[in-house]
Amino acid sequence: MRNPRDFWAGAIYLALGVAVLWIGRNYPLGSSARMGPGYFPAVLGYLMAGFGLISLGRSFIVPGETISQIAWKPLALILGSVVLFALLLEPAGVVIALAALIGVSSLASSKTRYDLRSLAAMAGMIAFCVLVFVKGLGLPLPVLGRWFTG
């Protein structure tokens, strides 16, 4: 193995892809014109497993850096932001949950700056997600949760 980073990234992608395929194995696929509940997980699982295999193969061909220490603080902030999103989604709504997700996960980078431009980008990303997922796809997610609507 010449590139440990690619190797372990590929192993993680491959494992997640196989897990997604295994979990969704009994869901009906449907067709691309009329997708069933297993269609998206199957496509996602195959893509993840494919990228994992490519990364694993690349790890034996292309030289790369060794893996240094695990960055625990950024890892905890990103995982914590996902958990916070899940906890806030129902009571606070998509807008607040996404703001918390973006705000907390952005603290994982030392290059993060909170200024008018970054806050405008965050507002734009939240608006985009609300328009696409809640309005466009009709996902039953509250824009503002029961904390604000009673």
Side-chain angles (χ1 to χ4, degrees):
M1 171 175 38
R2 298 179 70 187
N3 191 333
R5 287 182 182 215
D6 278 355
F7 178 82
W8 289 109
I12 290 169
Y13 273 113
L14 181 61
L16 287 173
V18 169
V20 166
L21 289 168
W22 185 77
I23 291 168
R25 71 188 182 283
N26 294 324
Y27 297 158
L29 287 176
S31 66
S32 57
R34 192 167 174 90
M35 297 177 199
Y39 191 87
F40 182 73
V43 169
L44 183 66
Y46 282 118
L47 283 173
M48 289 177 67
F51 285 132
L53 288 171
I54 291 169
S55 185
L56 279 171
R58 179 187 154 113
S59 73
F60 292 101
I61 299 168
V62 178
E65 300 176 28
T66 60
I67 298 175
S68 59
Q69 268 186 310
I70 294 175
W72 292 107
K73 181 182 174 188
L75 179 64
L77 284 167
I78 291 171
L79 290 175
S81 69
V82 173
V83 170
L84 184 61
F85 174 83
L87 293 173
L88 288 175
L89 186 57
E90 191 176 322
V94 172
V95 172
I96 302 300
L98 281 172
L101 173 78
I102 295 167
V104 173
S105 64
S106 69
L107 295 173
S109 172
S110 61
K111 298 176 183 176
T112 297
R113 289 186 350 206
Y114 291 110
D115 54 11
L116 186 58
R117 186 174 168 192
S118 63
L119 293 176
M122 181 169 75
M125 288 181 4
I126 292 170
F128 176 78
C129 289
V130 168
L131 288 172
V132 169
F133 295 108
V134 178
K135 303 298 182 194
L137 294 174
L139 294 179
L141 301 172
V143 175
L144 291 174
R146 65 176 182 265
W147 288 353
F148 301 100
T149 59

